Amino acid sequence: MCRREPGNPDIRPRPGVNCPAAPAPAARPVGGCTRPDSAGPPPFTAAPPPPGPGRRRAPSADAVLIRRTLAEIAPVADDTTSHFYALLFLGNPELRQLFPAAMDTQRDRLFSALLGAAERLDDSTELSRYLSDLGRGHRKYGTRPEHYPAVGQSLLGALARYAARVWDPATRAAWIRAYTVISQTMIDAAAADEQRAPAWWEAEVVSHELRTSDVAVITVRPDQPYRFTAGQYAGVETPWWPRVWRTYSFAKAPDPDGLLTFHVKAVPAGWVSGALVRRATVGSVIRLGPPAGSMTVDHSSDTGLLCLAGSTGIAPIKALVEDVAEHGRGRPVELFFGARRETDLYELPALRELERRHRWLSVRTVVADGAERTLAGQLPDTVRRLGPWREYDGYLSGPAAMVRSGVSALTSAGIPAERIRHDFVDIRT
């Protein structure tokens, strides 16, 4: 475990059992929440963990201050992000090489991840999972422990400028404490992962099948064993756009051949998706980051699964169905596959075959244009009308707008929010 000395305001990790040693401090601090002003921040202390399941309490004082800051910067999020990167690169030009040449493709990803972590401050279980995934995933960018202080200093600087109306010593101290937890959890997760897995995998394309004019089903063979769970996703980098990563869900449950399959839809200005659909061929080599995501099945439960998949969001849903079949419990699965046009239901033959083989699986299609052989309308609204679904766990995958409306539809159809699972991944880019 990496440890910090009590009262030390630096975020530089202390060498420990699982952590690589950090470099010695430079004469001028390389950032972190380290003395943005002459007085320096107060000592770091993590907020106490939230109460156990079934107990509720008011948000912690730090969470209240952090959410107030997030609300303040929401109308100027683009400006805040730009200022964050300006501070980061001006003060630490050596870090620019870790980012893609064209920053507009993923400019806000790091900043959004930091804010996403801060929003989860009072949920220790979810925060730890989210940050551990981030820490492992950031290894593929070449992120090292010594980089975190610079990010912390830039984050404080951007927030101080664009949340000036609510920025005060108490708010700054809350962000310092939050960033300490964020950075140390990510550092620890990356250090542990370094002992058992590479930062990335090279994977050769062994099959490239164009299913529609803009959707390809791509199967790759990793150069080393790749362990994942059905419902998860991975970052993908192509040789045509170095350091530009996009996330895609696994479209098959793990099997002995070790092959991985992704469904990719090319979208306008989608650099990675366009390259994977239109430039990749059998023999092309891409890079994969570590698996991440929590949209997985609890096989100790017999509760039915209600699955909503929009467009290429069918990929992880199909993997979940295969996973349920592999475990042989026969729990009911209701699968709704939605698309704008009937011709976009590219995976329907494979789903019908699964339905034929497994009596517990029901597959229904929903098409926006009202095709005769399908349910007509928007996917979430259609599923809501066919409810209630109180006896099911909900799973959603697809475009972000569909997932958002789907969560609302499933809660109104009787599924508690804590039994609805989804992962916002960039399946459209």
Side-chain angles (χ1 to χ4, degrees), residues 326-343:
E326 176 69 21
H327 283 76
R329 297 180 66 88
R331 60 203 296 186
V333 177
E334 296 283 345
L335 193 164
F336 290 84
F337 184 18
R340 291 185 179 179
R341 300 173 295 273
E342 191 170 5
T343 54

Side-chain angles (χ1 to χ4, degrees), residues 330 332-333 354-362:
V333 177
L354 284 171
E355 186 181 37
R356 185 189 67 78
R357 288 161 42 199
H358 304 295
R359 299 180 63 180
W360 42 262
L361 172 64
S362 171

Side-chain angles (χ1 to χ4, degrees), residues 177-243:
R177 286 188 287 270
Y179 185 73
T180 299
V181 174
I182 291 169
S183 59
Q184 201 65 54
T185 304
M186 292 177 66
I187 289 167
D188 290 348
D193 193 57
E194 192 171 9
Q195 305 303 314
R196 59 177 179 261
W200 64 75
W201 287 253
E202 303 281 353
E204 179 183 1
V205 176
V206 298
S207 174
H208 187 286
E209 181 184 354
L210 201 62
R211 292 287 184 85
T212 73
S213 61
D214 57 3
V215 173
V217 175
I218 301 170
T219 301
V220 302
R221 178 184 291 111
D223 62 344
Q224 301 178 58
Y226 191 103
R227 296 177 179 84
F228 70 99
T229 302
Q232 290 189 303
Y233 57 88
V236 175
E237 180 198 48
T238 73
W240 301 284
W241 299 106
R243 301 190 303 282

Side-chain angles (χ1 to χ4, degrees), residues 51-212:
R55 296 171 59 196
R56 294 192 176 190
R57 70 175 189 190
S60 66
D62 280 1
V64 170
L65 293 172
I66 284 170
R67 288 167 188 162
R68 184 179 68 173
T69 312
L70 295 176
E72 184 72 11
I73 66 170
V76 289
D78 286 346
D79 291 338
T80 310
T81 303
S82 296
H83 191 62
F84 165 77
Y85 281 109
L87 292 174
L88 184 63
F89 295 151
L90 284 173
N92 309 273
E94 71 280 2
L95 297 186
R96 183 62 179 87
Q97 64 181 334
L98 303 182
F99 294 81
M103 284 293 292
D104 59 326
T105 63
Q106 56 185 49
R107 184 197 62 180
D108 62 347
R109 291 176 186 270
L110 173 58
F111 191 69
S112 295
L114 294 171
L115 301 187
E119 289 177 333
R120 294 165 167 82
L121 188 62
D122 276 350
D123 186 341
S124 59
T125 300
E126 173 62 17
L127 179 65
S128 178
R129 184 202 65 79
Y130 180 78
L131 292 174
S132 295
D133 278 353
L134 282 179
R136 288 188 290 267
H138 274 67
R139 289 183 59 213
K140 67 181 179 287
Y141 301 118
T143 305
R144 302 296 302 165
E146 57 266 29
H147 298 152
Y148 284 87
V151 172
Q153 184 180 32
S154 302
L155 173 65
L156 285 185
L159 294 175
R161 175 168 179 174
Y162 286 95
R165 194 172 64 88
V166 298
W167 194 256
D168 56 25
T171 301
R172 178 172 169 272
W175 275 97
I176 290 170
R177 286 188 287 270
Y179 185 73
T180 299
V181 174
I182 291 169
S183 59
Q184 201 65 54
T185 304
M186 292 177 66
I187 289 167
D188 290 348
D193 193 57
E194 192 171 9
Q195 305 303 314
R196 59 177 179 261
W200 64 75
W201 287 253
E202 303 281 353
E204 179 183 1
V205 176
V206 298
S207 174
H208 187 286
E209 181 184 354
L210 201 62
R211 292 287 184 85
T212 73

Side-chain angles (χ1 to χ4, degrees), residues 265-290:
K265 181 174 183 178
V267 297
W271 293 11
V272 175
S273 64
L276 288 171
V277 172
R278 301 192 174 99
R279 299 184 67 172
T281 59
V282 172
S284 297
V285 176
I286 63 176
R287 281 182 173 177
L288 305 176

